Each structure stands twice: as C-alpha cells, then as structure tokens.
Amino acid sequence: MSLKTSVFGAALVIAASVWGAQAEPLSLTSAGSFLVSPFNQILRDPAGSEAPAAAQLRRQVVEYPSREALGTIIVDTAHTYLYFVLGGGKALRYGIGVGREGFTWSGVETISRMAEWPDWNPPREMIGRQPYLPRFMAGGPGNPLGARALYLGDTNYRIHGTNDPTTIGHRVSSGCIRLTNDDIADLYRRAKVGSKVVVLAGGRDADSAAPVIRRSASRQRMSAIIIPR
C-alpha cells in the first residue's frame, strides 16, 4: 500500500470520527422535546431540589385493607399519609403535609378539577390572616402550589405540590394537603376528575371542635361547620 493511500485512509477515519462526534447530540434530541414545558424538566431532573424524605414518608406500596373502591384517595391527617387505593388490600402511600393546629378538617369530597403548574390566588380568608401575601402568583417552581393541584369540590381546599419539600410530614398548611412535586406528579397521573377523596379526622386538635366538611343535600355545596364531639 502506498504512503499516499494510507494518509488518505487515515484522513477519512478522522473525518468520520469528528462528524460522528458532532452529530451525536442531535440524534439524542426528539422533535417533540421543544414543546415540553421547562417546568416539567424539573420533575425529571434527578439532581433537582427535592429534599430527601424520611423512609416512611417516601412513596411506596403498602398493605392497606379498605372497602373503598379502586382509585379512592384517603388522607390520614393524624399520621401525615395519603393513600391511593390499589385494590387487593394494597394502596400506594405518600408522605404529606397537612393543616396546622386549628386548620385540620375531615369529610368526603370529589376531585372537581386538575391543573398542571397552577396559578395561586390566595382566598380572602387567608389574606385576612396574612395580609402580606400576594393577590396572585403565576404557576411555576416558586409557586406554593407546586407542580400539580387537585381541587376538591367547590371548597378552597386542594391536594397540591410544594416549593418547600421540607414541610412534608408536618402540620403547616391552612387546610390544604401537600406532597412533594415528584409525588403530586405521580398522583396526578393516577387520579381523575370525579375521584372520591376521604379526609380522616386527626391531629393534635382532633379532640377539639375542628371543622368537618359535609355536603348539603339541598344545594349540593360543601360547607365547613363545627360538629360537637
């Protein structure tokens, strides 16, 4: 083989290697990826800001005998757990944050609406207690409602994500149920509008006259009332 042929062959190999190195990143990019919200990328980033939860608060399948139908959501306020009934005596358990003392409630509702990266409009009652709150906050990673929200009937209560995962396992909210953004995204994929939500009484103020949510048969509206215990 001549020197000229060898040099020419080596040049082809080098050119092919360089071209391949430049072309490889393009082959990893799908056409649809440009349409994905940058907020959703946060949920897929393993190096995200989610705080590591205690073992018992991590999402896991557990034994949970229940007469509730498949897909029912049960909130165990006292133990800061949320269960998604799987049937066969099992449920998917999530660690949650619940209402602080004086703001827990119990009752049965249904999911009336679901939203991704929801906007936040603090209700008048909350602004009355905390006048420094914004009147509106657009959805995004800094929003207190987090990545997803499941709205409960026509009440002000929601099951939602959080921009502060360190609050999971604690009693900190004004009555809403919060999960980590990863967990609420998982629950969002499983739940649907119309799903039954059962909120069990519990917490440090369980023995006091805590609000109980019940449906009025005449107007089909939910209202918070005080039930003597």
Side-chain angles (χ1 to χ4, degrees):
M1 181 183 295
S2 67
L3 178 61
K4 182 177 180 180
T5 303
S6 299
V7 172
F8 178 72
L12 286 178
V13 172
I14 293 172
S17 299
V18 172
W19 183 87
Q22 292 175 338
E24 184 178 3
L26 297 179
S27 67
L28 298 177
T29 304
S30 63
S33 64
F34 296 102
L35 303 178
V36 176
S37 165
F39 296 154
N40 288 335
Q41 184 63 38
I42 294 172
L43 299 178
R44 298 195 298 272
D45 183 0
S49 59
E50 292 288 304
Q56 70 271 17
L57 295 176
R58 294 186 184 127
R59 182 171 73 241
Q60 56 192 287
V61 175
V62 297
E63 298 290 334
Y64 192 73
S66 173
R67 294 182 179 179
E68 298 292 347
L70 174 71
T72 300
I73 294 172
I74 302 175
V75 177
D76 183 348
T77 304
H79 300 99
T80 63
Y81 291 140
L82 180 149
Y83 296 89
F84 182 85
V85 177
L86 299 174
K90 294 184 181 297
L92 187 57
R93 190 180 74 188
Y94 305 82
I96 58 175
V98 298
R100 60 187 180 273
E101 188 171 355
F103 288 86
T104 59
W105 58 280
S106 64
V108 178
E109 248 301 352
T110 58
I111 298 175
S112 56
R113 184 164 72 89
M114 302 169 63
E116 299 186 19
W117 297 104
D119 297 333
W120 182 43
N121 296 90
R124 289 192 301 272
E125 296 82 0
M126 183 177 289
I127 291 176
R129 296 190 300 269
Q130 301 166 282
Y132 54 84
L133 291 175
R135 273 43 178 180
F136 170 82
M137 182 177 289
N143 191 300
L145 297 186
R148 306 286 187 271
L150 311 179
Y151 295 80
L152 303 182
D154 56 4
T155 73
N156 288 327
Y157 297 126
R158 295 167 291 254
I159 300 172
H160 62 79
T162 179
N163 60 1
D164 185 3
T166 63
T167 59
I168 301 303
H170 300 284
R171 297 171 172 83
V172 292
S173 77
S174 295
C176 286
I177 309 302
R178 62 178 64 176
L179 294 79
T180 66
N181 280 339
D182 281 346
D183 280 354
I184 191 62
D186 181 83
L187 180 62
Y188 185 93
R189 289 190 292 268
R190 301 172 188 276
K192 60 183 179 180
V193 172
S195 293
K196 182 180 180 181
V197 179
V198 179
V199 180
L200 305 176
R204 287 172 292 185
D205 55 357
D207 295 330
S208 65
V212 174
I213 304 299
R214 74 179 183 187
R215 186 175 294 280
S216 166
S218 58
R219 296 186 179 181
Q220 291 296 296
R221 290 178 59 85
M222 298 296 292
S223 58
I225 61 174
I226 302 298
I227 303 293
R229 298 184 186 278

